[in-house]
Amino acid sequence: MVTSQASLKRDGVQDFVTIRATAIIMTAFSLFMLWYFISTPTVTYEGWHALFSHLGMKVFTFATLLSIMLHVRIGLWQVLTDYVKAAGLRAAVQFVLNLIAFVYVAVGLFVLWGI
Amino acid sequence: MTKHPTGIRAKNVKKQRPVNLQLNTISFPPAAITSILHRITGVALFFALLFVIGAWACSVSSPEGFEAVQQQMNGWLGKVIAIGTISALSYHILGGVRHLIMDMGVWEELESGNNSAKAIIGIWIVLTVVVGVLLW
């Protein structure tokens, strides 16, 4: 009980739900961006800047970035446990990759903040 | 005495078993290929985000940054990264949708599973070609 709470890694059901819930958000964002590029004849700086200065778009973008972090936390763990057998090395690689995922979120947050 | 992986004593197993070391005759079932492609595209997308988020951050920061990104996107390297990223993303989404459909209890049989696997690979190749032609 204590271990499972302290490890931040919850049970399989939570991983199952998280990977799907985040996938839906990221797919929605991808389709929205696809629609934006198809429906906008010429993407200009003004239009591009205006898109991301909209509060709804900021929330959508940030939700997508958070989803990426949660999704890769599970996905990369699944892949690493299959191919990197040495526990120490796997922990190190996972640390670095999760750190990069956090950087994605942090960069996104501060860029959105400044728009 | 050596033990067979299945637990049967090696002595009792027929010695003349077929050996197939001709790599070009060994093929994975379609479902296995979609599985490994889902992993490869997933890992690739994670690293592609370095470029995507970097380019996005630059493009919204200033008109100069926007122009710089546009210039990069017109170069061959930018196009290769963009097409590769969109291709990986489209595959990963297709594979994900297939998983969601299987979660609902359909396409779980050997035949339907392999058919859906072939279908998403087919759709993915078509999408990649379309994106490649449009962006190049």
Side-chain angles (χ1 to χ4, degrees), chain A residues 16 20 27 30 43-45 48-49 52 61 65 68 72 76 78-79 82-83 97 100-101 104 107-108 111-112 115, chain B residues 36 39 42-43 45-50 53 56-57 59-63 66 70 89 92-93 97 99-100 103:
Chain A
F16 180 96
R20 280 152 184 81
T27 304
S30 306
V43 181
T44 59
Y45 172 73
W48 187 239
H49 190 267
F52 285 99
T61 308
L65 286 164
I68 289 167
V72 302
L76 290 176
Q78 286 179 340
V79 173
D82 278 352
Y83 304 120
L97 294 179
I100 295 173
Y104 290 162
V107 167
V111 169
L112 287 169
I115 297 174
Chain B
I36 192 67
R39 291 189 159 197
V43 173
L45 280 171
F46 177 75
F47 291 105
L49 281 171
L50 281 171
I53 294 176
W56 168 75
S59 68
V60 290
S61 63
S62 63
F66 185 84
Q70 235 174 7
L89 179 62
H92 207 75
I93 290 175
V97 169
H99 269 294
L100 285 180
D103 286 345

Side-chain angles (χ1 to χ4, degrees), chain B residues 79-118:
Chain B
K79 284 179 181 175
V80 167
I81 293 173
I83 294 169
T85 304
I86 295 170
S87 176
L89 179 62
S90 58
Y91 181 83
H92 207 75
I93 290 175
L94 284 168
V97 169
R98 178 169 171 267
H99 269 294
L100 285 180
I101 292 169
M102 290 174 97
D103 286 345
M104 291 161 196
V106 281
W107 296 354
E108 285 182 315
E109 297 75 26
L110 193 59
E111 201 193 339
S112 59
N114 278 334
N115 285 341
S116 68
K118 284 182 204 160

Side-chain angles (χ1 to χ4, degrees), chain A residues 33 36-37 40-52 111 115, chain B residues 51-75:
Chain A
M33 290 315 296
Y36 176 81
F37 282 113
T40 314
T42 0
V43 181
T44 59
Y45 172 73
E46 288 69 33
W48 187 239
H49 190 267
L51 174 69
F52 285 99
V111 169
I115 297 174
Chain B
F51 301 101
V52 174
I53 294 176
W56 168 75
C58 187
S59 68
V60 290
S61 63
S62 63
E64 293 77 32
F66 185 84
E67 216 169 289
V69 171
Q70 235 174 7
Q71 224 153 31
Q72 282 292 319
M73 294 283 289
N74 283 325

